[in-house]
Amino acid sequence: MTVETQEETFTLDQILAAVTPGHRLILWNDDTNTFDHVINCLVKHLQYTETEAEDIAWKVHNEGKCAVLEGSYTEVEVYRKILKSEGLTVSVE
């Protein structure tokens, strides 16, 4: 009995796409939260520096939204709940 196998090849992009986290936590602009509150939450919960958090807050203000975390669905969902409990408007993509 003979068994034939077929070799499969993958590109680097295909391999990276398979191992790259697929979910993003999106912070949305709203009329409720102050810049200071958003910045404080990003520093406290996501360990951003003050400068990074301020840049994100401005991006959210000017563009309407910003991805603030990438990871597994479980990881991103945990942080969505934390930031939502702080009153921020967040979603998972």
Side-chain angles (χ1 to χ4, degrees):
M1 174 182 218
T2 312
V3 177
E4 284 189 39
T5 60
Q6 183 177 1
E7 186 175 310
E8 254 186 287
T9 58
F10 298 95
T11 66
L12 180 58
D13 287 338
Q14 289 171 320
I15 294 168
L16 290 175
V19 298
T20 301
H23 297 348
R24 299 182 319 154
L25 181 63
I26 307 298
L27 175 62
W28 294 87
N29 189 32
D30 61 36
D31 294 330
T32 307
N33 293 290
T34 65
F35 274 85
D36 286 339
H37 180 63
V38 171
I39 291 166
N40 289 335
C41 288
L42 293 173
V43 169
K44 177 180 177 182
H45 298 296
L46 296 176
Q47 288 73 50
Y48 281 107
T49 66
E50 288 269 339
T51 302
E52 291 169 333
E54 188 176 314
D55 290 344
I56 290 169
W58 277 106
K59 184 173 183 179
V60 169
H61 177 73
N62 291 319
E63 297 179 20
K65 67 178 183 174
C66 180
V68 295
L69 178 69
E70 290 187 26
S72 69
Y73 178 79
T74 303
E75 177 185 20
V76 172
E77 181 63 14
V78 166
Y79 285 99
R80 183 195 68 79
K81 289 178 180 178
I82 291 168
L83 294 180
K84 184 177 170 92
S85 74
E86 292 279 6
L88 300 183
T89 305
V90 287
S91 65
V92 175
E93 284 185 352

